[in-house]
Amino acid sequence: MAQVHNNKSLKSIFGITLMAAALGITACSTPADPDVKARQDSMKSWGDAMGVMGDMAEAPDTFDAEVFKEQAAFLAEDAATPWSHFENQEAAGNATEAVWSNVDGFKAEADSFQQATAELNAAAQNATSMDDVMPAFGQVGQSCKSCHTDFKVKAD
C-alpha cells in the first residue's frame, strides 16, 4: 500500500518559524527606552491625524467637519504629551544632540506646535469647508517641519 505523506507538520514548522522571525524583527525595531517609545508613539498618532486631515486638504470635496474637528481636537489635547520624554539625553532615539544643547530653541518649537494645534482646533470647531481651516492646518505642518529640521536625525 502506498504511504501518503502529510506536509502539515512541515507547514506548521514553517509557519511557526515565520511568525517567530516576524516577532523578532518587531521586537528589534521597537525602541527599548520607554521615553523614546512614548514620544514616538505620540508623534506617530499626530502623523496619523495629520494624514486624515491632509487627505481632506488634497480633496476638499471630501471635507467632513466632524472628523476634522475630532482630529484637530486630538492634536490640541495631545500637543503637550511628548516633551517631558526628552529629559533623559541617554534616550536620544531619533532626536539630535541639539534637543539638549539648544534647550531654549527646542522649547520654543514645542510651544509653537502647541500654539499651532490650539489655533487649528479653534478654527475646526466652526469650520464648514477646508477653506476655513487651511491656514491653521498649514501652520501645524510648518511647525512639525521646523522642529524636525533642527531636532530630528535626518534619515539617509
Side-chain angles (χ1 to χ4, degrees):
M1 182 183 284
Q3 186 175 18
V4 177
H5 292 279
N6 186 340
N7 285 334
K8 283 187 179 181
S9 63
L10 185 59
K11 287 179 184 177
S12 295
I13 291 170
F14 180 71
I16 290 169
T17 303
L18 201 58
M19 285 180 12
L23 288 172
I25 290 170
T26 302
C28 291
S29 66
T30 303
D33 188 278
D35 282 325
V36 173
K37 182 169 179 4
R39 64 187 191 231
Q40 287 179 351
D41 287 350
S42 188
M43 290 182 190
K44 170 148 182 3
S45 295
W46 295 351
D48 293 344
M50 289 295 287
V52 168
M53 293 182 286
D55 288 347
M56 291 183 217
E58 288 179 16
D61 58 315
T62 66
F63 181 77
D64 182 325
E66 286 306 310
V67 171
F68 198 97
K69 186 187 310 185
E70 189 177 280
Q71 298 303 310
F74 162 73
L75 281 178
E77 291 165 9
D78 198 62
T81 299
W83 313 119
S84 66
H85 296 285
F86 282 96
E87 293 173 0
N88 178 5
Q89 189 169 354
E90 298 299 313
N94 292 329
T96 65
E97 182 273 332
V99 168
W100 297 278
S101 65
N102 182 5
V103 173
D104 291 340
F106 185 65
K107 182 173 179 351
E109 290 288 354
D111 291 345
S112 175
F113 179 75
Q114 291 173 74
Q115 181 66 35
T117 58
E119 290 172 7
L120 176 62
N121 186 37
Q125 295 312 304
N126 298 312
T128 59
S129 73
M130 224 25 235
D131 291 338
D132 296 333
V133 292
M134 202 56 183
F137 179 71
Q139 284 301 113
V140 173
Q142 184 57 42
S143 178
C144 294
K145 181 180 179 191
S146 176
C147 189
H148 285 188
T149 297
D150 294 328
F151 299 105
K152 183 179 180 205
V153 173
K154 311 296 182 268
D156 293 331

